[in-house]
Amino acid sequence: MKEDDSSWWISGAPQHRNTLKLFSELHLSPALQKQISDANFITPTPVQAGAIPPALEGRDVLATAQTGTGKTLGFLIPLIERMPKGSKGASALVLLPTRELAMQVLEAYRQLTRSQGTAALVCGGLAEGPQLDAIRRGARLIVATPGRLEDYLQRKLVNLSGIKILVLDEVDRMLDMGFKPSIRRIAAALPTDRQTLCYSATLSAEIREVANDYLKNPVRVEIGSVLKPSPNVELRSFEVPTDKKQELLEHLLGANDGSFLVFVRTKHGADRVARRLVRSGHSATPIHGDRSQSQRNAALRSFAQGHHRVLVATDVAARGIDVADVAHVVNFDMPKEAEDFVHRVGRTGRASSRGIASTFAAPDEVRDLRKMERKLAIVTKKFRVRLAPQAQAKTA
């Protein structure tokens, strides 16, 4: 489908048109409709327009759309509307790859329910007590990462027999992180007559396998290319010696306004880049897997609130980052895969905003960069960096 086409179609059935233009057109409870209006959600994004109507009908949904296209609201609205009223215990389960993303989904859920909808956050890196207390008090929604939820299942601390709706969000990331066995064991503990909503940025053979295993005759929603950066992002590439990347980053910080999300390959590299930026007078903080959960939360919150202008992140730590108005993404280290490039770049240029993504390629990485450009069918604005003596980037 074209990116601006909000039609949806059912695999193996005639194509249906969806004409949803405004959230107010949805047949929702007055309370939920008011919350959507109060939150100033007026016009649905294409993935929301495509996925919400069939989900409200009780259909399974397989949706592919890039990060930042509104997938969270796309599954929360039908989930809230369709959860059995007055039921005790969990009737809906959302599985996600990271703690950060789980917390953001829970926050959005509370916003849409005015905190009246009871929910439990189940994820590693946080104390078990509050999580188990929320479950025991009869939380109707569980938002979880697979590892911790499977642990609770094995210890018989959670009962999933009442689940009516399962959401697999960013399922491609969960598979990349090795959660496929955990998802399979969790799904085996759920009723077979549930509704399942599956969201992914890509549609690989492995994603199709998941869809075949867990979804029944799903509505297929595809918005734009599933492996292509947003047209709202200006793509730039810099051929720069490895030992000059830090200097180039500092030059870009001085020449551009707004926040910077900088991607590096290793945890040690994230610490090193952030430390050097701080020494040079920039407000920067790292986020990676070796930092405690409280440190990761604090770094993300500080970046989102503008207290730190630069967030230096590894790929895994950044999976759940959803910060509005990131002005500039920098691939300080080249991504290993084209898919990682798309995920990184997708952190800027969200919704109708514009963004810039800069990729640093050492001379021996230029061939890999060109190969990735061909695979993604993209063209970057190319620069060859000449930093001495005054850190200037000149067009090649």
Side-chain angles (χ1 to χ4, degrees):
M1 288 185 188
K2 296 180 180 178
E3 187 170 354
D4 60 354
D5 187 351
S6 59
S7 64
W8 54 274
W9 56 277
I10 301 173
S11 178
Q15 181 166 319
H16 295 255
R17 295 295 301 180
N18 172 56
T19 58
L20 179 65
K21 300 299 182 186
L22 299 170
F23 282 113
S24 59
E25 299 171 9
L26 293 169
H27 298 292
L28 303 173
S29 66
L32 180 54
Q33 191 65 264
K34 185 177 188 305
Q35 283 306 106
I36 293 171
S37 176
D38 288 350
N40 202 32
F41 295 126
I42 308 299
T43 305
T45 66
V47 71
Q48 292 164 355
I52 292 175
L56 285 172
E57 294 172 5
R59 299 298 307 272
D60 284 6
V61 172
L62 173 60
T64 46
Q66 295 185 34
T67 301
T69 53
K71 290 181 287 183
T72 299
L73 195 65
F75 65 73
L76 280 180
I77 287 176
L79 182 152
I80 293 169
E81 184 68 16
R82 287 184 54 77
M83 278 198 301
K85 304 299 185 285
S87 62
K88 292 184 178 180
S91 59
L93 169 64
V94 180
L95 287 179
L96 315 107
T98 68
R99 292 179 287 257
E100 287 82 7
L101 190 57
M103 287 186 283
Q104 289 165 20
V105 168
L106 187 61
E107 182 179 349
Y109 172 76
R110 287 172 173 160
Q111 180 186 15
L112 287 174
T113 61
R114 285 190 179 274
S115 297
Q116 294 176 357
T118 55
L121 177 67
V122 173
C123 59
L126 299 174
E128 284 190 2
Q131 300 181 40
L132 295 173
D133 286 345
I135 293 171
R136 294 188 188 107
R137 288 197 301 268
R140 298 175 60 215
L141 169 66
I142 294 177
V143 182
T145 53
R148 176 57 66 89
L149 182 59
E150 185 186 15
D151 174 54
Y152 285 1
L153 271 176
Q154 291 172 344
R155 292 158 59 192
K156 302 188 186 305
L157 297 174
V158 62
N159 181 0
L160 302 178
S161 62
I163 297 295
K164 302 297 183 185
I165 305 170
L166 168 66
V167 177
L168 300 172
D169 189 23
E170 296 209 9
V171 68
D172 49 338
R173 292 292 101 200
M174 288 197 285
L175 298 182
D176 286 347
M177 295 168 70
F179 285 132
K180 186 176 182 179
S182 296
I183 294 171
R184 183 175 63 249
R185 288 187 283 267
I186 291 168
L190 305 178
T192 57
D193 61 347
R194 67 180 184 271
Q195 178 184 15
T196 304
L197 311 177
C198 182
Y199 292 79
S200 175
T202 61
L203 189 62
S204 63
E206 202 171 19
I207 302 298
R208 290 189 177 93
E209 182 182 337
V210 167
N212 289 333
D213 288 344
Y214 305 129
L215 280 70
K216 299 174 183 176
N217 189 28
V219 173
R220 177 76 178 89
V221 179
E222 182 178 352
I223 305 300
S225 168
V226 297
L227 192 63
K228 194 173 182 66
S230 166
N232 291 340
V233 181
E234 178 185 339
L235 302 175
R236 301 174 177 176
S237 61
F238 295 83
E239 183 180 339
V240 55
T242 300
D243 62 353
K244 296 295 184 181
K245 287 184 177 182
Q246 185 82 23
E247 194 174 346
L248 174 58
L249 174 59
E250 293 181 24
H251 169 73
L252 293 179
L253 282 165
N256 295 273
D257 296 326
S259 59
F260 274 60
L261 177 54
V262 179
F263 286 97
V264 295
R265 189 171 295 123
T266 66
K267 303 166 188 175
H268 175 71
D271 284 333
R272 184 178 63 248
V273 170
R275 190 166 53 245
R276 289 176 176 176
L277 287 174
V278 170
R279 282 204 300 262
S280 297
H282 300 282
S283 56
T285 186
I287 183 169
H288 54 69
D290 277 354
R291 304 201 80 192
S292 69
Q293 186 58 42
S294 61
Q295 288 175 321
R296 292 167 71 175
N297 292 347
L300 186 58
R301 183 168 55 251
S302 180
F303 180 63
Q305 294 175 350
H307 302 308
H308 282 97
R309 184 188 178 198
V310 187
L311 183 66
V312 187
T314 56
D315 281 304
V316 171
R319 295 302 184 203
I321 292 176
D322 186 9
V323 176
D325 301 324
V326 174
H328 205 139
V329 166
V330 174
N331 293 310
F332 190 92
D333 292 326
M334 279 278 293
K336 292 182 179 180
E337 305 290 343
E339 181 179 326
D340 291 328
F341 179 87
V342 174
H343 276 283
R344 291 178 176 191
V345 170
R347 305 298 164 177
T348 188
R350 296 188 169 214
S352 59
S353 300
R354 306 290 297 178
I356 298 172
S358 298
T359 300
F360 296 176
D364 61 350
E365 296 174 318
V366 171
R367 180 177 295 181
D368 292 335
L369 175 61
R370 302 296 173 251
K371 182 179 178 181
M372 185 176 64
E373 289 176 334
R374 289 193 297 271
K375 182 174 182 178
L376 296 174
I378 60 174
V379 177
T380 64
K381 186 176 182 181
K382 297 171 178 60
F383 296 86
R384 182 172 293 120
V385 176
R386 311 184 195 285
L387 288 168
Q390 291 187 341
Q392 294 295 321
K394 298 181 182 297
T395 306

